[in-house]
Amino acid sequence: MHAVETFELVLGLLALVVALHWLALKLHWPPATALLVGGGALAFIPGLPAISLDPELALVLFLPPLLMDGAYYTALGRFRRHLPGILSLAVGAVVFTTLVVGVVVHWILPELPWAACFALGAIVSPPDAVSARAVLKGVHLPRRLEALLEGESLLNDATGLILFRFAVAATLSGVFHTGEAVQSFAVVAVGGAIVGVAVGAVWLFLARRLRDRMLVVLVTLSLCWAAYIAGEAVHVSGVIATVAAGLVMGWYQHVVLSADVRLLGSSAWQIMVFLLEALVFILIGFSLRGAVERIGGIDAVPASMIAVVAAVVVTVAVARFIWVFGSEALLALARKTGIERARPLGWRRATVLSWAGMRGVVTLAVPLTLPVDMPGRDLMLICAFAVIFVTVVAQGSSLGWVIRKITPVDADPPAKMAMPAAEAAMARARSAVIEKLAFDADGTLIHPHMLEEHRKRMRFMERYEADAAAAMDDLRPHFDILLQAIAAGRAELIRIHRAGHIEDEVLHELERDLDIEEMAITFQRGE
């Protein structure tokens, strides 16, 4: 394909993203479902060019920024608190699903080597960070459940990729040593964490010393790929390296980045993640055409392969339920024996956790990297696509409905301070400084307006802390008036610019001030 045609195709895909995302909002679908189904349907329209997704490029292009986005916004305190449960899902559930799928496939196709069966299990076992993020955006979950799903999505890809590489090597060589595999797994995982922390430390060094905000934003946006590529270059987990670097950046960005850099970088980051997240589902759908053509078309699929595909899809879903509810039984037993730290989820939250097992970019890209002489390669490709479609379309689309029907209760104890108390604490700290600096050395009041403004704000914050709902009800009419005043100011600014009384630079500067003011008021209104 000519370079210009490739660029035109990219523009066409972006237009398709806009159209399908708009359609998903109108139909109240998860956007991931609309993008995946739309891409799959369009791939078979005659005359459209075939799109082949290079698997190595897919992993390095899409996975690091989407993992970094999840790690950056991860609540580190909750992540540490729920780390045993996260590891149970990210390692235990993935290994268990790999083994169960391998056993089921070998039972149906005994002629397929055991290692190849487990390679297929490793392909379809890890729920995907991209799919989980795309679906979970539209639902409200209890805090513990949210922490478990977010943490799982950050780490389980590493488990699946490592298992896949071991299984492929065992299939092609015919040799597998469990002890060496476990040792290699630990080295790859710990090594990835070390590399990620080191890359995060380099980011901290640069962010503290670079003075140009564009350079800081560029370094910050590049961190995900730097961590992933560095990890893969030294043969450790690039996924864990990316997550570790993201956790470092998320923890320190509050004290390292200035407000303007954080606002600019956040805007650029959100747009980039939105585009990558949308494109990956479109490309997964488009890639279905290549997989079908590779095996000679739909008609060439034998009945035995259809049976295996159906069995794999069912096994993937059932294995997650078995693992989650089996873990629940062990936690309940431990609780009864007096272990206070054992806290079962309860059947409602366990059901939601079991149902939220969507697959995506890793399950797509990994089978495309298989050697041509790998036994069962075509079967693995078809199974991968089937699992992605069923989990994203069926489970992803129905997850919100399941949550509404089951209504899982947030049983976690709340934090010591709610938002009103935290805002009041901030207001007291600010007011203390103003009370001190509003007077000169002789005790003469030199900033009366500033002092009165902060005293009024402090009085409001005391009412807000006591009764947040009543205070906000009193304040909303005030916000409405301010927004109308800002709109009037914006209209006047545009009028005098259109009349030629001010230059474009003045327009942009004053408009930015109005935008920041309006954004602050809109945020305070809770919109």
Side-chain angles (χ1 to χ4, degrees):
M1 186 181 294
H2 192 272
V4 175
E5 294 176 336
T6 302
F7 179 68
E8 291 172 348
L9 179 61
V10 171
L11 292 180
L13 289 178
L14 293 178
L16 184 60
V17 164
V18 173
L20 290 173
H21 202 277
W22 174 84
L23 180 63
L25 294 177
K26 286 292 183 183
L27 298 176
H28 303 289
W29 287 1
T33 300
L35 292 166
L36 187 61
V37 173
L42 289 170
F44 291 95
I45 294 178
L48 284 182
I51 299 177
S52 59
L53 186 62
D54 183 88
E56 298 294 342
L57 177 61
L59 287 176
V60 76
L61 175 62
F62 293 109
L63 196 56
L66 298 172
L67 284 170
M68 178 70 74
D69 188 55
Y72 181 82
Y73 291 107
T74 292
L76 194 56
R78 275 190 290 173
F79 182 84
R80 288 198 301 263
R81 192 159 58 247
H82 298 298
L83 186 59
I86 290 170
L87 292 177
S88 170
L89 292 168
V91 179
V94 172
V95 173
F96 177 72
T97 305
T98 299
L99 295 176
V100 173
V101 170
V103 170
V104 169
V105 171
H106 193 268
W107 176 63
I108 299 174
L109 291 177
E111 66 273 15
L112 194 64
W114 274 107
C117 296
F118 291 136
L120 173 55
I123 290 169
V124 299
S125 61
D128 183 59
V130 185
S131 301
R133 278 176 37 80
V135 172
L136 293 177
K137 281 179 182 176
V139 298
H140 177 70
L141 292 171
R143 284 165 293 175
R144 184 182 175 189
L145 207 54
E146 188 174 5
L148 289 173
L149 287 170
E150 288 179 351
E152 177 196 17
S153 70
L154 293 176
L155 300 178
N156 57 16
D157 285 338
T159 306
L161 288 170
I162 295 169
L163 291 175
F164 170 76
R165 289 167 183 166
F166 287 156
V168 171
T171 303
L172 298 179
S173 65
V175 178
F176 180 78
H177 298 289
T178 304
E180 292 181 6
V182 172
Q183 183 180 359
S184 299
F185 186 96
V187 169
V188 168
V190 174
I194 294 172
V195 170
V197 171
V199 173
V202 173
W203 172 81
L204 277 174
F205 177 84
L206 295 174
R208 284 184 171 128
R209 285 158 179 79
L210 293 174
R211 294 290 177 261
D212 187 277
R213 64 177 184 171
M214 290 296 183
L215 293 179
V216 178
V217 171
L218 180 60
V219 169
T220 301
L221 293 179
S222 305
L223 179 66
C224 58
W225 288 293
Y228 185 87
I229 292 172
E232 293 296 315
V234 296
H235 305 294
V236 296
S237 174
V239 170
I240 294 179
T242 306
V243 171
L247 292 173
V248 170
M249 184 173 70
W251 182 257
Y252 285 102
Q253 55 96 7
H254 308 288
V255 295
V256 171
L257 301 181
S258 60
D260 60 338
V261 169
R262 196 158 40 246
L263 285 172
L264 179 63
S266 178
S267 299
W269 185 262
Q270 287 176 14
I271 292 172
M272 182 181 75
V273 167
F274 170 79
L275 288 175
L276 291 176
E277 200 172 81
L279 284 174
V280 74
F281 285 108
I282 289 281
L283 292 172
I284 287 174
F286 266 99
S287 298
L288 177 60
R289 176 178 170 183
V292 172
E293 290 176 348
R294 233 179 246 111
I295 62 173
I298 295 291
D299 297 336
V301 179
S304 59
M305 183 179 289
I306 295 175
V308 174
V309 171
V312 168
V313 171
V314 173
T315 302
V316 164
V318 172
R320 185 172 177 88
F321 272 87
I322 293 174
W323 180 266
V324 171
F325 278 91
S327 301
E328 277 290 288
L330 291 176
L331 287 173
L333 180 62
R335 185 82 175 182
K336 288 181 178 179
T337 59
I339 301 177
E340 295 297 327
R341 295 186 63 183
R343 295 170 53 222
L345 289 168
W347 73 268
R348 296 176 187 273
R349 287 184 288 176
T351 300
V352 173
L353 185 63
S354 302
W355 194 246
M358 292 71 66
R359 271 61 173 177
V361 61
V362 172
T363 300
L364 165 74
V366 165
L368 295 175
T369 65
L370 288 167
V372 178
D373 57 345
M374 178 75 179
R377 184 176 187 273
D378 292 338
L379 172 65
M380 295 179 191
L381 285 168
I382 297 301
C383 284
F385 278 107
V387 168
I388 293 171
F389 266 86
V390 171
T391 56
V392 172
V393 175
Q395 291 180 260
S397 299
S398 60
L399 182 60
W401 178 84
V402 170
I403 292 172
R404 287 192 298 272
K405 290 295 182 182
I406 292 179
T407 59
V409 179
D410 194 346
D412 283 5
K416 293 180 179 179
M417 294 180 70
M419 182 178 288
E423 291 193 80
M426 290 170 52
R428 281 190 285 268
R430 294 176 60 173
S431 183
V433 173
I434 297 298
E435 291 281 354
K436 180 180 178 181
L437 300 180
F439 300 88
D440 64 9
D442 299 329
T444 304
L445 181 60
I446 55 178
H447 298 296
H449 297 297
M450 185 182 300
L451 182 62
E452 178 58 25
E453 178 186 346
H454 276 77
R455 283 176 174 172
K456 287 170 58 179
R457 180 177 297 179
M458 190 64 244
R459 288 193 293 270
F460 170 77
M461 292 309 304
E462 289 172 350
R463 289 192 292 117
Y464 179 62
E465 184 178 16
D467 190 343
M472 289 304 299
D473 287 341
D474 294 340
L475 196 59
R476 283 194 182 92
H478 172 74
F479 285 152
D480 292 338
I481 294 172
L482 287 178
L483 289 174
Q484 292 180 44
I486 290 172
R490 191 186 305 276
E492 178 62 13
L493 178 64
I494 294 172
R495 187 193 69 79
I496 60 179
H497 173 262
R498 298 293 187 262
H501 298 320
I502 58 173
E503 296 291 343
D504 286 1
E505 292 81 1
V506 176
L507 169 69
H508 295 317
E509 287 288 332
L510 295 178
E511 187 177 40
R512 184 196 62 187
D513 294 342
L514 289 173
D515 289 343
I516 293 174
E517 187 178 356
E518 182 177 344
M519 183 175 65
I521 293 173
T522 303
F523 178 76
Q524 288 177 310
R525 281 165 55 107
E527 297 179 357

